[in-house]
Structure formats: C-alpha cells, structure tokens
Amino acid sequence: STAAAAGHPLLSVRQGKGEVAGFFTEVGRCELHSFDILHMFSGDGQAAVHVRIDLTTPAGIRIVDDEMHRWEFDDAGRAVSMKHYADTAKHLAAWFPER
C-alpha cells in the first residue's frame, strides 16, 4: 500500500508474533483517546470489524477515522491474517506532517 511504502509504522505489512508486538509498541507511541467497535460480522473462518479510532500521533496531530479490520482464522481458531482498511492519506498526513 501507499502507507506501507511511505514507512507508516501502523499501516505496514507485519508477519509473526514479534512484528505484531512491534505494531503495539508503535501504538504505544500514540495517545489513544478511544477505540470503539461499531459492528462485527463473522462466518466461514473470517471476521470483519468496523472500528472508530481517535488518537493523537507522535507528531501531535489528532485523527478520528472509521476503519475496517478483516481477519482470517485457521481451523483451530487462530488468526492467520489481518487486513487493515483505513484512510491512508489521513494517516500519512497525521503521522508525517512535514511531507
């Protein structure tokens, strides 16, 4: 994605437990005001979650965004993939205001 190519730490591709932990390290650099689950749909080993986030980035810019998180699970119920759908232009501007 454009955000991943730009090096956005919350919207870049990650694999494995260590990289997931790295994602949450980056989230910890933000001031999280709210993370609300608005809708959740599931079936056939997958789930879609509509969330609203409200956070202030390390650059000091506050954003509110509605996002979709699409999860896939294996037969044992373990998450095997997650795709994050967000307003990447809004996120890039808030994370990298100097660009």
Side-chain angles (χ1 to χ4, degrees):
S1 79
T2 302
H8 192 295
L10 299 184
L11 301 176
S12 295
V13 175
R14 296 179 183 266
Q15 295 181 330
K17 291 179 184 178
E19 290 190 24
V20 170
F23 169 83
F24 286 105
T25 297
E26 292 298 333
V27 169
R29 295 180 57 220
C30 299
E31 180 181 353
L32 185 61
H33 306 288
S34 65
F35 182 95
D36 298 312
I37 296 173
L38 303 177
H39 302 95
M40 190 177 325
F41 311 93
S42 65
D44 293 330
Q46 50 191 323
V49 184
H50 174 198
V51 300
R52 178 166 297 136
I53 63 154
D54 179 356
L55 61 82
T56 300
T57 69
I61 298 172
R62 188 168 182 168
I63 60 171
V64 176
D65 195 25
D66 278 16
E67 303 179 352
M68 290 296 292
H69 297 174
R70 183 176 176 271
W71 293 83
E72 292 186 19
F73 302 92
D74 65 14
D75 291 338
R78 295 175 297 219
V80 293
S81 77
M82 187 276 239
K83 292 186 179 177
H84 187 170
Y85 301 90
D87 182 341
T88 55
K90 181 189 293 186
H91 281 266
L92 286 169
W95 203 273
F96 305 114
E98 69 283 355
R99 290 187 187 172

